[in-house]
Amino acid sequence: MPDSANPPIVILTGAGISKESGLDTFRDADGIWAKVRLEDVATPEGYARDPETVHAFYNARRKPLVDQSVAPNAAHVALARLEEAWPGEVLIVTQNIDDLHERGGSRNLIHMHGEMLKVRCDFCHAVMPWAEDATVKTKCPECGVTGQVRPHVVWFGEMPLEMDRIEAALGRCGLFLSIGTSGNVYPAAGFVQQVRYLGRAHTVELNLEPSEGATAFAETRYGPATDLVPAFVEQVLTRGW
Ligand code: BV8
């Protein structure tokens, strides 16, 4: 059983935590879905219809991570400090496919929607780190088959990654913290309800504005993540929640 004095903490993050690092969110007015149709670039059907367009979409989003023209911000760094200093387990479950949590120092991390810096082969199912452009002509380094390499990203209608591990962590946490997500996408948007149903954890939303699921949280604070997250981490480490 977890240490009741220092219960496990589960942190769900979304695109809002990376916004101040210079990466677009999805549903803000200037967000990604205002510029390109989700159905065309974030569904298996869109990929089957026009793989080259989907590759171009992810190749463009991969570039600032490869050239490191974007960097982790104070919110990412504060979460790494929490993981380091909290005596109990701290698990970040991110919907983000960037590597800013890792570069900010977090280690105990699940990318439930995949990772932009990886691809996988639909023929041999190998998952591999990837820093250059992928196209329909890309040859799988593992099996040598051409044209079967796709972004290692979970599209709509596809199964998110490591759901068993996530469900287990939700079932035993004492604090569930949601940062920078609009609460539009399931199953991530339903995690707070799952935690509340179990009745053991305190639930906190830190966001720029109320999410779709705001009323489900016991505590909400609104503002930029780089202000809210370091302050909340300091509070947890000095006087709990
Ligand atoms: C699944 C790809 C079954 C990667 C993404 C009908 C048919 C089929 C499926 C469904 C259906 N109805 C519902 C579903 C489920 C569907 C879904 O939820 N659809 C929605 C649209 C209704 N979900 C799925 O298909 C998922 N798979 O259901 O499989 C299953 C179910 C249960 C258990 C097992 C299996 C797959 C979902 C993953 C889809 N892939 N992206 C990529 O290209 O990135 S989703 C996409 O949205 C991104 O991954 C992103 O992470 C995710 C969530 O968005 P947010 O991160 O929240 O970003 P958003 O812009 O929305 O919000 C940003 C927030 O930040 C805002 O609130 C803003 O105010 C705030 N903010 C901004 N600036 C700041 C800030 N906060 C703090 N500081 C700031 N500075």
mmCIF file of all heavy atoms in Angstrom, residues 57-97:
data_model
loop_
_atom_site.group_PDB
_atom_site.id
_atom_site.type_symbol
_atom_site.label_atom_id
_atom_site.label_comp_id
_atom_site.label_asym_id
_atom_site.label_seq_id
_atom_site.Cartn_x
_atom_site.Cartn_y
_atom_site.Cartn_z
ATOM 1 N N PHE A 57 2.681 17.045 -41.837
ATOM 2 C CA PHE A 57 2.156 17.658 -40.611
ATOM 3 C C PHE A 57 3.058 17.330 -39.421
ATOM 4 O O PHE A 57 3.444 18.211 -38.641
ATOM 5 C CB PHE A 57 0.730 17.130 -40.392
ATOM 6 C CG PHE A 57 0.073 17.519 -39.102
ATOM 7 C CD1 PHE A 57 -0.251 18.851 -38.837
ATOM 8 C CD2 PHE A 57 -0.251 16.554 -38.149
ATOM 9 C CE1 PHE A 57 -0.884 19.218 -37.645
ATOM 10 C CE2 PHE A 57 -0.883 16.904 -36.952
ATOM 11 C CZ PHE A 57 -1.188 18.235 -36.707
ATOM 12 N N TYR A 58 3.442 16.056 -39.303
ATOM 13 C CA TYR A 58 4.289 15.677 -38.154
ATOM 14 C C TYR A 58 5.748 16.055 -38.373
ATOM 15 O O TYR A 58 6.447 16.432 -37.418
ATOM 16 C CB TYR A 58 4.110 14.178 -37.841
ATOM 17 C CG TYR A 58 2.782 13.936 -37.163
ATOM 18 C CD1 TYR A 58 1.674 13.476 -37.890
ATOM 19 C CD2 TYR A 58 2.596 14.269 -35.823
ATOM 20 C CE1 TYR A 58 0.443 13.320 -37.287
ATOM 21 C CE2 TYR A 58 1.363 14.114 -35.209
ATOM 22 C CZ TYR A 58 0.281 13.643 -35.943
ATOM 23 O OH TYR A 58 -0.943 13.517 -35.345
ATOM 24 N N ASN A 59 6.215 16.036 -39.626
ATOM 25 C CA ASN A 59 7.593 16.489 -39.889
ATOM 26 C C ASN A 59 7.779 17.951 -39.455
ATOM 27 O O ASN A 59 8.778 18.297 -38.816
ATOM 28 C CB ASN A 59 7.936 16.335 -41.373
ATOM 29 C CG ASN A 59 8.041 14.878 -41.812
ATOM 30 O OD1 ASN A 59 8.184 13.969 -40.975
ATOM 31 N ND2 ASN A 59 7.940 14.636 -43.096
ATOM 32 N N ALA A 60 6.760 18.782 -39.727
ATOM 33 C CA ALA A 60 6.855 20.207 -39.354
ATOM 34 C C ALA A 60 6.848 20.366 -37.831
ATOM 35 O O ALA A 60 7.598 21.173 -37.270
ATOM 36 C CB ALA A 60 5.686 20.974 -39.968
ATOM 37 N N ARG A 61 6.055 19.557 -37.128
ATOM 38 C CA ARG A 61 5.969 19.666 -35.664
ATOM 39 C C ARG A 61 7.176 19.040 -34.984
ATOM 40 O O ARG A 61 7.501 19.366 -33.841
ATOM 41 C CB ARG A 61 4.664 19.019 -35.183
ATOM 42 C CG ARG A 61 3.431 19.821 -35.554
ATOM 43 C CD ARG A 61 2.160 19.081 -35.196
ATOM 44 N NE ARG A 61 2.038 18.884 -33.756
ATOM 45 C CZ ARG A 61 1.203 17.990 -33.214
ATOM 46 N NH1 ARG A 61 0.459 17.206 -34.001
ATOM 47 N NH2 ARG A 61 1.118 17.857 -31.902
ATOM 48 N N ARG A 62 7.868 18.118 -35.669
ATOM 49 C CA ARG A 62 9.049 17.462 -35.095
ATOM 50 C C ARG A 62 10.256 18.404 -35.111
ATOM 51 O O ARG A 62 11.084 18.367 -34.187
ATOM 52 C CB ARG A 62 9.366 16.192 -35.890
ATOM 53 C CG ARG A 62 10.446 15.314 -35.290
ATOM 54 C CD ARG A 62 10.746 14.098 -36.160
ATOM 55 N NE ARG A 62 9.607 13.189 -36.277
ATOM 56 C CZ ARG A 62 8.914 12.988 -37.399
ATOM 57 N NH1 ARG A 62 9.235 13.647 -38.508
ATOM 58 N NH2 ARG A 62 7.906 12.145 -37.425
ATOM 59 N N LYS A 63 10.312 19.283 -36.121
ATOM 60 C CA LYS A 63 11.515 20.106 -36.318
ATOM 61 C C LYS A 63 11.938 20.916 -35.085
ATOM 62 O O LYS A 63 13.090 20.840 -34.643
ATOM 63 C CB LYS A 63 11.341 21.040 -37.523
ATOM 64 C CG LYS A 63 11.556 20.345 -38.879
ATOM 65 C CD LYS A 63 11.610 21.300 -40.023
ATOM 66 C CE LYS A 63 11.900 20.646 -41.378
ATOM 67 N NZ LYS A 63 11.538 19.263 -41.539
ATOM 68 N N PRO A 64 11.041 21.698 -34.442
ATOM 69 C CA PRO A 64 11.482 22.518 -33.303
ATOM 70 C C PRO A 64 11.959 21.675 -32.119
ATOM 71 O O PRO A 64 12.714 22.155 -31.267
ATOM 72 C CB PRO A 64 10.241 23.327 -32.921
ATOM 73 C CG PRO A 64 9.095 22.732 -33.634
ATOM 74 C CD PRO A 64 9.625 21.947 -34.783
ATOM 75 N N LEU A 65 11.551 20.405 -32.091
ATOM 76 C CA LEU A 65 12.059 19.536 -31.017
ATOM 77 C C LEU A 65 13.460 19.042 -31.372
ATOM 78 O O LEU A 65 14.347 18.960 -30.532
ATOM 79 C CB LEU A 65 11.119 18.339 -30.806
ATOM 80 C CG LEU A 65 9.659 18.669 -30.478
ATOM 81 C CD1 LEU A 65 8.875 17.390 -30.243
ATOM 82 C CD2 LEU A 65 9.551 19.592 -29.264
ATOM 83 N N VAL A 66 13.667 18.723 -32.646
ATOM 84 C CA VAL A 66 14.982 18.217 -33.082
ATOM 85 C C VAL A 66 16.035 19.317 -32.985
ATOM 86 O O VAL A 66 17.126 19.115 -32.453
ATOM 87 C CB VAL A 66 14.887 17.672 -34.527
ATOM 88 C CG1 VAL A 66 16.267 17.301 -35.059
ATOM 89 C CG2 VAL A 66 13.951 16.463 -34.585
ATOM 90 N N ASP A 67 15.666 20.533 -33.469
ATOM 91 C CA ASP A 67 16.679 21.608 -33.426
ATOM 92 C C ASP A 67 16.681 22.316 -32.063
ATOM 93 O O ASP A 67 17.437 23.257 -31.849
ATOM 94 C CB ASP A 67 16.491 22.595 -34.588
ATOM 95 C CG ASP A 67 15.162 23.353 -34.513
ATOM 96 O OD1 ASP A 67 14.592 23.462 -33.411
ATOM 97 O OD2 ASP A 67 14.696 23.821 -35.565
ATOM 98 N N GLN A 68 15.814 21.840 -31.178
ATOM 99 C CA GLN A 68 15.733 22.366 -29.811
ATOM 100 C C GLN A 68 15.545 23.884 -29.800
ATOM 101 O O GLN A 68 16.060 24.578 -28.939
ATOM 102 C CB GLN A 68 16.955 21.931 -28.980
ATOM 103 C CG GLN A 68 17.052 20.400 -28.893
ATOM 104 C CD GLN A 68 17.725 19.870 -27.646
ATOM 105 O OE1 GLN A 68 18.398 20.605 -26.935
ATOM 106 N NE2 GLN A 68 17.515 18.585 -27.381
ATOM 107 N N SER A 69 14.765 24.365 -30.796
ATOM 108 C CA SER A 69 14.446 25.803 -30.812
ATOM 109 C C SER A 69 13.353 26.111 -29.785
ATOM 110 O O SER A 69 13.040 27.265 -29.539
ATOM 111 C CB SER A 69 13.979 26.224 -32.206
ATOM 112 O OG SER A 69 12.892 25.414 -32.617
ATOM 113 N N VAL A 70 12.756 25.053 -29.214
ATOM 114 C CA VAL A 70 11.833 25.233 -28.083
ATOM 115 C C VAL A 70 12.462 24.540 -26.876
ATOM 116 O O VAL A 70 13.202 23.558 -27.018
ATOM 117 C CB VAL A 70 10.429 24.644 -28.365
ATOM 118 C CG1 VAL A 70 9.733 25.414 -29.466
ATOM 119 C CG2 VAL A 70 10.481 23.160 -28.674
ATOM 120 N N ALA A 71 12.186 25.068 -25.696
ATOM 121 C CA ALA A 71 12.814 24.534 -24.491
ATOM 122 C C ALA A 71 11.770 24.336 -23.398
ATOM 123 O O ALA A 71 10.720 24.988 -23.411
ATOM 124 C CB ALA A 71 13.889 25.502 -23.999
ATOM 125 N N PRO A 72 12.068 23.440 -22.436
ATOM 126 C CA PRO A 72 11.150 23.276 -21.309
ATOM 127 C C PRO A 72 10.975 24.614 -20.593
ATOM 128 O O PRO A 72 11.879 25.452 -20.603
ATOM 129 C CB PRO A 72 11.876 22.284 -20.388
ATOM 130 C CG PRO A 72 12.954 21.669 -21.199
ATOM 131 C CD PRO A 72 13.262 22.591 -22.316
ATOM 132 N N ASN A 73 9.818 24.826 -19.988
ATOM 133 C CA ASN A 73 9.585 26.071 -19.252
ATOM 134 C C ASN A 73 9.542 25.790 -17.751
ATOM 135 O O ASN A 73 9.721 24.639 -17.317
ATOM 136 C CB ASN A 73 8.314 26.765 -19.756
ATOM 137 C CG ASN A 73 7.065 25.936 -19.552
ATOM 138 O OD1 ASN A 73 6.801 25.459 -18.446
ATOM 139 N ND2 ASN A 73 6.299 25.718 -20.616
ATOM 140 N N ALA A 74 9.275 26.801 -16.951
ATOM 141 C CA ALA A 74 9.322 26.672 -15.486
ATOM 142 C C ALA A 74 8.318 25.643 -14.969
ATOM 143 O O ALA A 74 8.532 25.020 -13.923
ATOM 144 C CB ALA A 74 9.035 28.029 -14.850
ATOM 145 N N ALA A 75 7.235 25.419 -15.726
ATOM 146 C CA ALA A 75 6.252 24.423 -15.270
ATOM 147 C C ALA A 75 6.820 23.008 -15.416
ATOM 148 O O ALA A 75 6.704 22.176 -14.505
ATOM 149 C CB ALA A 75 4.957 24.566 -16.074
ATOM 150 N N HIS A 76 7.460 22.730 -16.546
ATOM 151 C CA HIS A 76 8.077 21.407 -16.738
ATOM 152 C C HIS A 76 9.142 21.170 -15.652
ATOM 153 O O HIS A 76 9.215 20.086 -15.051
ATOM 154 C CB HIS A 76 8.773 21.318 -18.106
ATOM 155 C CG HIS A 76 7.873 21.441 -19.293
ATOM 156 N ND1 HIS A 76 7.790 22.580 -20.070
ATOM 157 C CD2 HIS A 76 7.003 20.555 -19.853
ATOM 158 C CE1 HIS A 76 6.927 22.401 -21.042
ATOM 159 N NE2 HIS A 76 6.436 21.186 -20.939
ATOM 160 N N VAL A 77 9.947 22.190 -15.407
ATOM 161 C CA VAL A 77 11.060 22.053 -14.448
ATOM 162 C C VAL A 77 10.514 21.852 -13.028
ATOM 163 O O VAL A 77 11.017 21.019 -12.271
ATOM 164 C CB VAL A 77 11.979 23.295 -14.524
ATOM 165 C CG1 VAL A 77 13.028 23.271 -13.419
ATOM 166 C CG2 VAL A 77 12.641 23.354 -15.906
ATOM 167 N N ALA A 78 9.415 22.545 -12.707
ATOM 168 C CA ALA A 78 8.822 22.402 -11.362
ATOM 169 C C ALA A 78 8.311 20.974 -11.147
ATOM 170 O O ALA A 78 8.458 20.403 -10.062
ATOM 171 C CB ALA A 78 7.678 23.401 -11.192
ATOM 172 N N LEU A 79 7.753 20.364 -12.187
ATOM 173 C CA LEU A 79 7.245 18.983 -12.044
ATOM 174 C C LEU A 79 8.394 18.004 -11.844
ATOM 175 O O LEU A 79 8.277 17.032 -11.098
ATOM 176 C CB LEU A 79 6.388 18.595 -13.248
ATOM 177 C CG LEU A 79 5.087 19.367 -13.421
ATOM 178 C CD1 LEU A 79 4.268 18.793 -14.587
ATOM 179 C CD2 LEU A 79 4.233 19.359 -12.146
ATOM 180 N N ALA A 80 9.529 18.296 -12.488
ATOM 181 C CA ALA A 80 10.710 17.435 -12.283
ATOM 182 C C ALA A 80 11.226 17.592 -10.851
ATOM 183 O O ALA A 80 11.629 16.620 -10.200
ATOM 184 C CB ALA A 80 11.796 17.792 -13.292
ATOM 185 N N ARG A 81 11.160 18.811 -10.333
ATOM 186 C CA ARG A 81 11.567 19.053 -8.930
ATOM 187 C C ARG A 81 10.651 18.272 -7.987
ATOM 188 O O ARG A 81 11.113 17.641 -7.030
ATOM 189 C CB ARG A 81 11.489 20.557 -8.633
ATOM 190 C CG ARG A 81 11.736 20.895 -7.169
ATOM 191 C CD ARG A 81 11.575 22.379 -6.840
ATOM 192 N NE ARG A 81 11.666 22.577 -5.387
ATOM 193 C CZ ARG A 81 10.829 23.371 -4.687
ATOM 194 N NH1 ARG A 81 9.873 24.058 -5.319
ATOM 195 N NH2 ARG A 81 10.958 23.477 -3.371
ATOM 196 N N LEU A 82 9.350 18.273 -8.282
ATOM 197 C CA LEU A 82 8.395 17.538 -7.435
ATOM 198 C C LEU A 82 8.740 16.048 -7.441
ATOM 199 O O LEU A 82 8.775 15.397 -6.389
ATOM 200 C CB LEU A 82 6.966 17.765 -7.930
ATOM 201 C CG LEU A 82 5.862 17.069 -7.151
ATOM 202 C CD1 LEU A 82 5.801 17.554 -5.699
ATOM 203 C CD2 LEU A 82 4.506 17.268 -7.840
ATOM 204 N N GLU A 83 9.023 15.505 -8.630
ATOM 205 C CA GLU A 83 9.359 14.071 -8.725
ATOM 206 C C GLU A 83 10.612 13.765 -7.907
ATOM 207 O O GLU A 83 10.689 12.737 -7.225
ATOM 208 C CB GLU A 83 9.586 13.706 -10.193
ATOM 209 C CG GLU A 83 9.959 12.261 -10.437
ATOM 210 C CD GLU A 83 10.215 11.944 -11.915
ATOM 211 O OE1 GLU A 83 9.709 12.671 -12.794
ATOM 212 O OE2 GLU A 83 10.935 10.973 -12.168
ATOM 213 N N GLU A 84 11.552 14.676 -7.942
ATOM 214 C CA GLU A 84 12.826 14.485 -7.234
ATOM 215 C C GLU A 84 12.648 14.588 -5.719
ATOM 216 O O GLU A 84 13.185 13.797 -4.946
ATOM 217 C CB GLU A 84 13.803 15.572 -7.733
ATOM 218 C CG GLU A 84 15.186 15.563 -7.089
ATOM 219 C CD GLU A 84 15.963 14.297 -7.419
ATOM 220 O OE1 GLU A 84 15.769 13.755 -8.513
ATOM 221 O OE2 GLU A 84 16.732 13.849 -6.529
ATOM 222 N N ALA A 85 11.803 15.529 -5.277
ATOM 223 C CA ALA A 85 11.739 15.860 -3.846
ATOM 224 C C ALA A 85 10.611 15.147 -3.101
ATOM 225 O O ALA A 85 10.676 14.961 -1.885
ATOM 226 C CB ALA A 85 11.572 17.371 -3.674
ATOM 227 N N TRP A 86 9.580 14.703 -3.814
ATOM 228 C CA TRP A 86 8.447 14.073 -3.140
ATOM 229 C C TRP A 86 8.823 12.639 -2.724
ATOM 230 O O TRP A 86 9.295 11.872 -3.549
ATOM 231 C CB TRP A 86 7.213 14.059 -4.033
ATOM 232 C CG TRP A 86 5.978 13.478 -3.379
ATOM 233 C CD1 TRP A 86 5.357 12.301 -3.678
ATOM 234 C CD2 TRP A 86 5.228 14.052 -2.321
ATOM 235 N NE1 TRP A 86 4.261 12.107 -2.890
ATOM 236 C CE2 TRP A 86 4.156 13.160 -2.021
ATOM 237 C CE3 TRP A 86 5.328 15.227 -1.562
ATOM 238 C CZ2 TRP A 86 3.217 13.421 -1.015
ATOM 239 C CZ3 TRP A 86 4.403 15.484 -0.566
ATOM 240 C CH2 TRP A 86 3.367 14.581 -0.300
ATOM 241 N N PRO A 87 8.635 12.268 -1.435
ATOM 242 C CA PRO A 87 9.049 10.931 -0.993
ATOM 243 C C PRO A 87 8.253 9.803 -1.665
ATOM 244 O O PRO A 87 8.758 8.709 -1.872
ATOM 245 C CB PRO A 87 8.773 10.952 0.520
ATOM 246 C CG PRO A 87 8.649 12.386 0.895
ATOM 247 C CD PRO A 87 8.141 13.107 -0.301
ATOM 248 N N GLY A 88 7.005 10.097 -2.035
ATOM 249 C CA GLY A 88 6.180 9.082 -2.701
ATOM 250 C C GLY A 88 6.380 9.137 -4.211
ATOM 251 O O GLY A 88 7.151 9.941 -4.733
ATOM 252 N N GLU A 89 5.633 8.268 -4.937
ATOM 253 C CA GLU A 89 5.770 8.232 -6.399
ATOM 254 C C GLU A 89 5.105 9.459 -7.018
ATOM 255 O O GLU A 89 4.048 9.893 -6.557
ATOM 256 C CB GLU A 89 5.131 6.955 -6.969
ATOM 257 C CG GLU A 89 5.269 6.842 -8.489
ATOM 258 C CD GLU A 89 4.471 5.684 -9.101
ATOM 259 O OE1 GLU A 89 3.772 4.993 -8.345
ATOM 260 O OE2 GLU A 89 4.563 5.514 -10.328
ATOM 261 N N VAL A 90 5.719 9.989 -8.054
ATOM 262 C CA VAL A 90 5.112 11.046 -8.872
ATOM 263 C C VAL A 90 5.121 10.535 -10.312
ATOM 264 O O VAL A 90 6.180 10.201 -10.847
ATOM 265 C CB VAL A 90 5.898 12.373 -8.790
ATOM 266 C CG1 VAL A 90 5.314 13.409 -9.766
ATOM 267 C CG2 VAL A 90 5.868 12.923 -7.361
ATOM 268 N N LEU A 91 3.939 10.410 -10.924
ATOM 269 C CA LEU A 91 3.844 9.924 -12.302
ATOM 270 C C LEU A 91 3.186 11.003 -13.162
ATOM 271 O O LEU A 91 2.106 11.490 -12.829
ATOM 272 C CB LEU A 91 2.986 8.652 -12.377
ATOM 273 C CG LEU A 91 2.653 8.147 -13.793
ATOM 274 C CD1 LEU A 91 3.914 7.668 -14.510
ATOM 275 C CD2 LEU A 91 1.606 7.029 -13.745
ATOM 276 N N ILE A 92 3.866 11.374 -14.227
ATOM 277 C CA ILE A 92 3.257 12.286 -15.201
ATOM 278 C C ILE A 92 2.652 11.456 -16.329
ATOM 279 O O ILE A 92 3.334 10.619 -16.942
ATOM 280 C CB ILE A 92 4.287 13.275 -15.784
ATOM 281 C CG1 ILE A 92 4.799 14.228 -14.695
ATOM 282 C CG2 ILE A 92 3.640 14.091 -16.918
ATOM 283 C CD1 ILE A 92 5.871 15.198 -15.181
ATOM 284 N N VAL A 93 1.371 11.654 -16.592
ATOM 285 C CA VAL A 93 0.698 11.068 -17.757
ATOM 286 C C VAL A 93 0.437 12.227 -18.708
ATOM 287 O O VAL A 93 -0.374 13.106 -18.416
ATOM 288 C CB VAL A 93 -0.635 10.410 -17.354
ATOM 289 C CG1 VAL A 93 -1.340 9.841 -18.587
ATOM 290 C CG2 VAL A 93 -0.387 9.313 -16.316
ATOM 291 N N THR A 94 1.223 12.275 -19.793
ATOM 292 C CA THR A 94 1.052 13.413 -20.682
ATOM 293 C C THR A 94 0.321 13.038 -21.957
ATOM 294 O O THR A 94 0.540 11.952 -22.508
ATOM 295 C CB THR A 94 2.397 14.102 -21.026
ATOM 296 O OG1 THR A 94 2.108 15.314 -21.740
ATOM 297 C CG2 THR A 94 3.317 13.201 -21.826
ATOM 298 N N GLN A 95 -0.542 13.936 -22.401
ATOM 299 C CA GLN A 95 -1.190 13.787 -23.712
ATOM 300 C C GLN A 95 -0.272 14.356 -24.795
ATOM 301 O O GLN A 95 -0.550 14.191 -25.979
ATOM 302 C CB GLN A 95 -2.524 14.534 -23.744
ATOM 303 C CG GLN A 95 -3.515 14.057 -22.697
ATOM 304 C CD GLN A 95 -4.744 14.955 -22.663
ATOM 305 O OE1 GLN A 95 -5.695 14.787 -23.407
ATOM 306 N NE2 GLN A 95 -4.706 15.944 -21.796
ATOM 307 N N ASN A 96 0.785 15.036 -24.358
ATOM 308 C CA ASN A 96 1.660 15.727 -25.307
ATOM 309 C C ASN A 96 2.626 14.756 -25.966
ATOM 310 O O ASN A 96 3.037 13.755 -25.359
ATOM 311 C CB ASN A 96 2.451 16.829 -24.592
ATOM 312 C CG ASN A 96 1.540 17.867 -23.963
ATOM 313 O OD1 ASN A 96 0.379 17.994 -24.351
ATOM 314 N ND2 ASN A 96 2.025 18.582 -22.978
ATOM 315 N N ILE A 97 2.965 15.050 -27.187
ATOM 316 C CA ILE A 97 3.913 14.190 -27.927
ATOM 317 C C ILE A 97 5.265 14.871 -28.082
ATOM 318 O O ILE A 97 6.134 14.381 -28.788
ATOM 319 C CB ILE A 97 3.314 13.781 -29.294
ATOM 320 C CG1 ILE A 97 3.051 14.995 -30.192
ATOM 321 C CG2 ILE A 97 2.029 12.969 -29.093
ATOM 322 C CD1 ILE A 97 2.547 14.588 -31.591
#
